[in-house]
Amino acid sequence: MESPQSLFAQGDKDLQVMKAGAMLRKVKSRSWKKQRHFRLQEDGQTIWYKSRWAGTGHSTFSVADVDVVREGHQSEILLSIADEFPADLCFTLVFHGRRSNLDLVAESPSEAQVWIRGVRKLIQNTESMNDKERLDQWIWDWFQKADKNKDGRMNFKEVRTLLKMMNVDMNEEYALRLFTMADKSESGCLENEEFVQFYKMLTEREDVWRVFQDYSRDGQILTLAELEDFLKQEQQEGERSLEHAQELIDRYEPSENAKKHGAMSIDGFQMYLVSPESAVLDPQLLALHQDMSQPLSHYFICSSHNTYLMDDQLRGQSSQEAYIQALKRGCRCVEVDCWDGPNGEPVVYHGHTFTSKILFRDVITTLAEYAFKVSEFPVILSLENHCSMEQQRVMAQLLDTILGDTLLRAPLDRLVPQELPSPQDLKRKVLLKAKKIGGLEESETLTDEVTDEVSDEDEADPKSLSAENLSAEALHLNDKKSKLSRELSDLVVYCKSVHFHSFEYSRLHSKCYEMSSFSESKARKLAKDTGAEFVRHNSRQLSRVYPSGMRTDSSNYNPQELWNVGCQIVALNFQTAGLEMDLNDGLFSQNGCCGYVLKPDFMRNDDSFDPERPQARNGYTSLRLSIQVISGQQLPKVNQKEGSIVDPLVRVEIYGVFQDQAKQETSYIDNNGFNPLWNETLNFIVHVPELALVRFVVEDYDKASRNDFMGQFTVPFTCIQPGYRHIHLLSKDGTAIPLSSLFVNIKISELTTEV
């Protein structure tokens, strides 16, 4: 048996050269540059490397973990050695998730090109695999791991080891029976197709078979009418169900004979149930489908805090890569903290800390290149400005020359707006959020300079600065008032930063293009005390919320309670994985991952929606959410010890208005992460489905200590497809875990009586 990647690699010259291996310099810093022997392994999937001095020690990584290959000096590290190694020798492998890049230097330009082209071909081949090829690759990978003596055959002892590695503690007698049935050659070993047969028997889905039997009259096939009945009754599909049933048979049924008779076998049924169109998140709502012509204030906007940081805000590395990763995740509001740098060049870093510094020029160059690769809708550049007049002028010049026509310099149609323009109106535009001299109405008539407080975060708590061990002198510098340059001021159009006084003051005096920043504590207090007013304020003006300065570890606050009052720019530390980023990724997974999600209609008008009293709004209806957690498939191991197997449980968490916050979990299953079966139903009442997020979490139960996280998936309630669905799990980093899923049955119904 050969893997799809291995077969692909056999016919390609670049990949054959990669299999022979090469000496490449691995670069970690200007002073750490070490030669390593790199080689593509025979599976065409794994890249192996080691030091010539490291004895038997080596490292490997899978091509599937590589997101992209960048040529030349496209990282801070490679830029730092540009004087030593020319660009045509250098390239960077960028990994999915939060794993560090791998910076490499080849010995010749032609060798660099072989590796750049080769890895790109492997990535493209991996991404273009169909479901069957992906499964074949997955089986091949397990075969390779378990085939200890590398003879291409697997005896029963190796199979027992494989089962442990695959997270299943199977009865030895049952495992031997499957092994013997698969060993058609009676050689005492499984090879090639015999191992595939063993895997198929091992993964037979009793849970799917039961659902199939409920609708199949003869227990062998689903007729077109029976499949239509299943789609109507279980998947809650309406008028299109007959037409859709025929499409499913054409798309997923592997048997030509069954296709000819307009029927679906158990194999086709299972392929449909694990396909993207049968996932819990409705694929039609994944696409860009919302009205993008409403004012900016009517959208939630995917937003990052301290975007330049790869790590914590005391000693972390500042990097252009952090901007690239945030923008690739659909972020539409990035933050730049600017300070005076040497040689008249502004720098970006977390002031008065030990974080590293990068040039403002390089940040804006990165923004120019990556701003609109994932989404065409506007990017807001939130400027935290601590620079002198001279360097502010340099900043304005750099913004102007590097961003060119993408930088918005004046109101659309040269008119003073009565409401903010829409994302559609501002496509492929960068908006500067900062202080501004005067307003749009009189901006042509003001003097060139005024004294103004430059710092953007108006509500910053002085106590938070002490957490960063700032000196009295530094505190004084932070608090002083500085002059604002006319050149920089003139680039601020629709996002003028102003101090927040009160909702009444804003209602009477504020312009639609004025916006305020709130610390998380100030915003949460306003949300709790005056939620309905906050909602109304946010229907007309933008609000930005940022994490407390006390969060020196760059942890995050829960964004949900700020979305509940309509705050658009709820900024999170993208570099920190966890629940908060899961919620952010979940909310913005819809609408084409474009970084803008239209707020519910009752938050865009004067309905006076109060998140504390959702029953008071017009058209209020609560829903019952019933989730039968049926089974799990190929759940990941959390403890890599060979003999350890997980004891999984599933928890369903609801995030939304206060009344909707809820959690329930299943019991745990002993020693089975391969195909655990729960068949437990969890019930919830949801009062404001338009704001609710549903998070499915799988954990490894531990009675002695905290459970270990295994995987999760977060979906907006309004995007859930009812019926029998697979939930394809994501890692802590938000990247897919191959073939790892939950099988559930979801029912959503209106409550007939008040709860």
Side-chain angles (χ1 to χ4, degrees), residues 298 507 532-533 535-540 600-610 617-618:
H298 288 186
R507 194 166 60 251
E533 286 190 71
V535 172
R536 203 177 301 119
H537 173 87
N538 286 327
S539 69
R540 185 166 182 269
D601 58 356
F602 53 79
M603 302 185 93
R604 310 193 304 259
N605 53 35
D606 288 327
D607 268 3
S608 299
F609 168 69
D610 186 347
R617 77 175 166 93
N618 293 334

Side-chain angles (χ1 to χ4, degrees), residues 13 25 41 126 154 157 192 209 227 278 311 315-316 326 337 351-352 443 458 486 570 597 604 634 678 755:
K13 284 182 183 175
R25 276 187 181 82
Q41 295 197 295
T126 301
M154 201 178 298
K157 187 180 176 190
N192 299 331
W209 177 252
L227 181 55
S278 193
D311 209 331
R315 298 173 182 275
D337 280 16
H352 312 301
S443 57
D458 296 301
R486 158 65 72 181
V570 181
V597 169
R604 310 193 304 259
Q634 287 113 8
W678 288 280
V755 175

Side-chain angles (χ1 to χ4, degrees), residues 125-328:
N125 190 55
T126 301
E127 289 173 348
S128 63
M129 280 183 190
N130 59 34
D131 288 344
K132 183 185 180 304
E133 289 168 333
R134 224 176 284 278
L135 181 60
D136 287 349
Q137 182 68 50
W138 192 82
I139 296 171
W140 166 259
D141 290 344
W142 280 115
F143 186 92
Q144 289 297 102
K145 286 174 190 170
D147 183 17
K148 297 290 186 190
N149 58 6
K150 304 299 175 197
D151 63 353
R153 296 147 54 92
M154 201 178 298
N155 61 35
F156 185 64
K157 187 180 176 190
E158 287 175 315
V159 165
R160 290 285 291 147
T161 305
L162 170 67
L163 294 181
K164 283 262 177 19
M165 290 164 70
M166 292 174 100
N167 237 339
V168 60
D169 189 15
M170 190 176 283
N171 172 287
E172 187 153 348
E173 190 181 322
Y174 179 60
L176 183 57
R177 189 159 81 246
L178 290 186
F179 181 90
T180 306
M181 287 167 67
D183 183 18
K184 301 281 192 222
S185 62
E186 299 182 3
S187 64
C189 287
L190 301 183
E191 44 191 301
N192 299 331
E193 293 309 310
E194 292 177 338
F195 178 71
V196 176
Q197 187 58 35
F198 169 76
Y199 175 81
K200 282 188 172 173
M201 288 189 287
L202 187 67
T203 54
E204 275 181 358
R205 295 280 302 274
E206 190 69 31
D207 49 354
V208 172
W209 177 252
R210 282 197 205 109
V211 178
F212 185 82
Q213 294 287 43
D214 285 345
Y215 285 86
S216 170
R217 206 165 287 112
D218 68 358
Q220 299 302 307
I221 59 161
L222 287 174
T223 64
L224 188 61
E226 287 166 349
L227 181 55
E228 183 196 10
D229 194 26
F230 168 77
L231 294 175
K232 272 185 179 171
Q233 299 298 322
E234 301 294 348
Q235 310 300 75
Q236 296 186 25
E237 292 191 13
E239 297 166 6
R240 252 195 93 241
S241 50
L242 182 64
E243 180 190 339
H244 192 209
Q246 185 60 58
E247 286 172 4
L248 295 180
I249 290 169
D250 294 342
R251 196 173 302 139
Y252 297 111
E253 179 49 52
S255 161
E256 289 301 323
N257 190 41
K259 264 189 195 175
K260 203 183 298 176
H261 291 89
M264 182 176 266
S265 67
I266 180 66
D267 288 342
F269 187 64
Q270 185 165 318
M271 283 175 72
Y272 154 64
L273 283 178
V274 299
S275 72
E277 73 177 285
S278 193
V280 69
L281 201 165
D282 187 341
Q284 292 183 60
L285 302 181
L286 270 176
L288 184 67
H289 67 280
Q290 294 182 344
D291 176 7
M292 303 305 289
S293 63
Q294 301 208 24
L296 279 181
S297 55
H298 288 186
Y299 297 84
F300 296 121
I301 303 172
C302 188
S303 306
S304 162
H305 177 64
N306 289 349
T307 314
Y308 46 88
L309 288 178
M310 298 288 285
D311 209 331
D312 72 76
Q313 60 189 48
L314 285 186
R315 298 173 182 275
Q317 178 194 358
S318 301
S319 171
Q320 292 148 250
E321 187 62 41
Y323 286 94
I324 296 169
Q325 295 304 327
L327 292 165
K328 283 175 73 174

Side-chain angles (χ1 to χ4, degrees), residues 333-596:
C333 179
V334 297
E335 186 181 27
V336 186
D337 280 16
C338 303
W339 300 79
D340 281 359
N343 308 317
E345 282 263 11
V347 293
V348 174
Y349 81 114
H350 200 59
H352 312 301
T353 66
F354 298 104
T355 58
S356 61
K357 298 172 183 175
I358 50 178
L359 291 175
F360 179 77
R361 173 195 302 274
D362 291 340
V363 170
I364 303 307
T365 301
T366 299
L367 185 64
E369 184 175 353
Y370 288 93
F372 304 109
K373 287 202 169 180
V374 166
S375 169
E376 286 196 308
F377 294 110
V379 170
I380 297 169
L381 184 61
S382 181
L383 201 61
E384 179 80 18
N385 177 9
H386 304 274
C387 288
S388 62
M389 287 287 290
E390 293 72 25
Q391 295 210 12
Q392 285 181 54
R393 291 190 181 108
V394 174
M395 285 162 59
Q397 185 186 4
L398 290 170
L399 286 164
D400 185 66
T401 54
I402 296 170
L403 293 177
D405 290 342
T406 61
L407 180 65
L408 189 78
R409 296 175 173 80
L412 301 177
D413 303 323
R414 300 279 168 180
L415 298 174
V416 176
Q418 298 308 303
E419 65 175 18
L420 287 166
S422 70
Q424 184 70 37
D425 295 332
L426 295 166
K427 265 189 171 181
R428 301 190 73 83
K429 289 294 181 187
V430 175
L431 279 58
L432 188 63
K433 174 198 168 293
K435 293 285 184 180
K436 182 174 180 66
I437 302 166
L440 294 178
E441 294 81 358
E442 69 281 347
S443 57
E444 299 299 317
T445 61
L446 289 182
T447 56
D448 281 351
E449 295 173 8
V450 297
T451 299
D452 199 357
E453 186 178 355
V454 165
S455 179
D456 169 34
E457 298 190 350
D458 296 301
E459 309 300 332
D461 181 354
K463 287 183 296 208
S464 69
L465 299 170
S466 63
E468 300 171 13
N469 299 320
L470 302 188
S471 65
E473 181 186 6
L475 284 166
H476 170 70
L477 281 170
N478 194 68
D479 287 341
K480 76 172 186 179
K481 293 183 184 289
S482 307
K483 287 184 175 179
L484 181 62
S485 87
R486 158 65 72 181
E487 293 86 346
L488 198 57
S489 167
D490 283 350
L491 298 179
V492 178
V493 183
Y494 294 121
C495 298
K496 176 187 175 181
S497 295
V498 298
H499 179 77
F500 176 77
H501 298 281
S502 69
F503 291 127
E504 185 183 13
Y505 180 90
S506 296
R507 194 166 60 251
L508 295 173
H509 304 291
S510 293
K511 313 292 186 192
C512 65
Y513 57 81
E514 294 177 335
M515 61 179 291
S516 301
S517 288
F518 303 89
S519 68
E520 63 174 278
S521 53
K522 178 69 179 283
R524 290 172 71 183
K525 186 172 188 322
L526 287 169
K528 191 171 185 301
D529 296 345
T530 50
E533 286 190 71
F534 214 163
V535 172
R536 203 177 301 119
H537 173 87
N538 286 327
S539 69
R540 185 166 182 269
Q541 289 177 255
L542 293 173
S543 292
R544 178 177 179 269
V545 183
Y546 59 91
S548 158
M550 299 294 283
R551 295 182 181 274
T552 53
D553 58 351
S554 291
S555 60
N556 282 311
Y557 55 94
N558 187 326
Q560 183 68 52
E561 51 192 309
L562 289 319
W563 292 328
N564 289 344
V565 290
C567 293
Q568 303 87 351
I569 301 176
V570 181
L572 297 178
N573 289 299
F574 270 49
Q575 73 272 31
T576 307
L579 161 68
E580 299 81 11
M581 274 307 298
D582 293 346
L583 295 178
N584 196 79
D585 290 346
L587 176 65
F588 292 104
S589 61
Q590 60 185 308
N591 203 30
C593 294
C594 75
Y596 286 82

